[in-house]
Amino acid sequence: MIKPQTGSLSYTRKAASLTAQTVVQTRLSQSDGISEVLVVCPQVSLLNCEVSSGRVNYSGKIIFTVVYSDEEGKLCRMQKGAEFSHFCDDDELAPAQTAVCALSCEKVTTRRDGSAIIISAVVTAEINVFAPAERTFITACEGAYLKTQTKEFFSFITFSGECEVEDDFDADGVDDILVPSACALVTSAECGTGEVNVSGEINLSLLAMRRAFPASLERVIPFRCEVPCEDSFSGALPAVRAEIRDMNVNATVDDERGKCRVEFSCTVAVSGYFAQRTEQTVATDAFSCTNTVSGETARESARIIAERKLYSERINSPAAAKAKLDFTCRFLAVACPVAEYEYVPASGAVEGGVSAILLYEQGGDVKSTAINIPFSVRVSAAEGASAQVSVCGVSVKQPTEGQIEGEALIKVSAAYPRVSEAEYLCSVEEGAALTPSESAVTVIIPSPGDGLWDAARRLGCPPEEVAAANPDLKYPLTGGERILVYRKK
């Protein structure tokens, strides 16, 4: 009679990777003195993310910084904030699970609604959900023979934390800061003992006023965040995202020196996950000499970060603009640059475009138009790789009338995974009794690559008996051998 023995281990698996989008709106009253909206810069941040039965609920806030011209043509600034909540459904979701959510903002539009102006933005949420699970495996089986192998298994651990970043610098001839926009790029991340160390850069882009005209200022600010995590161990590479929260920019003008002192502060929130590796000897196959054997097989697959690389490339290419531009336009500044992109595994390239707002002077008036600078940055090709992109140093020129060219520095932080797959028996059941062979000798011709276990299974004999009867065989087999066993009457 077949009597299996089982063992079990608790672990955390990646249950789902979800994407959701929602539209967030705010309303500007024309009584605010708005003649024309020139620039809208959104800054989105996460407030909360929880998993319930069949649903992930998340909420956040978005702050729109708006630059507009009043009825006298003067450039003014205002900020409008809005909180939002949304959800994403999946049948596998349950309250005991944990979600890691990253928000991004795209497709900002403005439209008039009677005497008001409506500003809309599409907020995208990328959500990874992790669930507790139980791994059951066969450890021994009386009455049957087991093929055992040592497999690697992974359990995922999530983390999150914050750090404060401050910087100050001088800006010559600047009278005021109209719009600050910032993007955080993770350049390196590694687990230590009891903490996760994340380093990166904040690309700060400022739209300022300089002698009655708008101008662009840019600065790269490094940051380092040490996130406490009891389960962290040295050497693991985490998947991690960084987000700017509670950004504050103050400008103090020194008229005597002709300089402006810019003080920047923000909170950088990082969140992510890493995989803890263990090795376990498990049964992958079973057979009996007296009965048929059936079993249930479990399969696990884990995608873990194996390498992280940083790429940097300056691009220069023809750009597209919404407005018709000619030599009557004097380019003044580029505001709110952001990279919109996708990673193409087949070609190993990050492709997309730099979207920004170009401010220019025409006929004595300051105007604006959306521009897009296409780019393609070659990185290593790998299935399942992910990329984060930031942009800085954006400039636009008009070499020939009606044709514009854009230049920018593109930085890509790419994470390359490896996939670990494990298959093992989680149950064994006894089937019908086998009819004993009447033959004194059984001979088989193996398939190329077969091992001792494969031969024993086909012969229905214990592996040690097959090895003793065929001592000259070398495994794996080539397929040209003859394997035989003798049976005593």
Side-chain angles (χ1 to χ4, degrees), residues 121-132:
V122 177
V123 176
T124 300
E126 295 180 4
I127 306 168
N128 289 297
V129 183
F130 301 89

Side-chain angles (χ1 to χ4, degrees), residues 311 313 342-351 376-383 385 387 412 414 416:
Y311 302 86
E313 184 174 325
E342 66 174 347
Y343 173 74
V344 183
S347 62
V350 176
E351 300 176 352
S376 178
V377 177
R378 182 76 59 180
V379 300
S380 299
E383 188 66 35
V412 180
Y416 299 99

Side-chain angles (χ1 to χ4, degrees), residues 170-207:
D170 288 334
D172 294 340
V174 170
D175 302 314
D176 192 15
I177 302 295
L178 294 177
V179 178
S181 65
C183 174
L185 177 71
V186 174
T187 57
S188 68
E190 188 173 15
C191 295
T193 303
E195 65 181 13
V196 180
N197 300 305
V198 180
S199 298
E201 297 176 345
I202 298 173
N203 291 297
L204 177 63
S205 177
L206 301 176
L207 178 62

Side-chain angles (χ1 to χ4, degrees), residues 48-106:
N48 190 36
C49 184
E50 292 183 348
V51 184
S52 59
S53 296
R55 175 169 289 186
V56 175
N57 298 286
Y58 64 92
S59 61
K61 66 177 180 179
I62 187 168
I63 297 176
F64 295 100
T65 303
V66 182
V67 174
Y68 63 93
S69 58
D70 62 12
E71 295 175 353
E72 298 177 356
K74 181 182 176 182
L75 297 189
C76 306
R77 181 189 75 162
M78 72 163 59
Q79 285 187 326
K80 292 280 285 187
E83 292 191 0
F84 61 91
S85 60
H86 197 50
F87 60 87
C88 187
D89 289 341
D90 189 283
D91 292 339
E92 291 192 14
L93 299 178
Q97 299 172 356
T98 302
V100 177
C101 179
L103 300 180
S104 60
C105 188
E106 55 189 76

Side-chain angles (χ1 to χ4, degrees), residues 299-344:
R299 295 176 178 84
E300 292 184 27
S301 178
R303 189 184 299 273
I304 60 175
I305 303 298
E307 187 179 16
R308 191 184 301 275
K309 291 184 179 180
L310 186 65
Y311 302 86
S312 181
E313 184 174 325
R314 181 159 289 279
I315 61 165
N316 191 318
S317 64
K322 267 194 170 182
K324 186 177 181 180
L325 304 174
D326 53 32
F327 279 157
T328 64
C329 304
R330 181 168 69 94
F331 296 170
L332 301 173
V334 177
C336 306
V338 62
E340 299 175 353
Y341 59 92
E342 66 174 347
Y343 173 74
V344 183

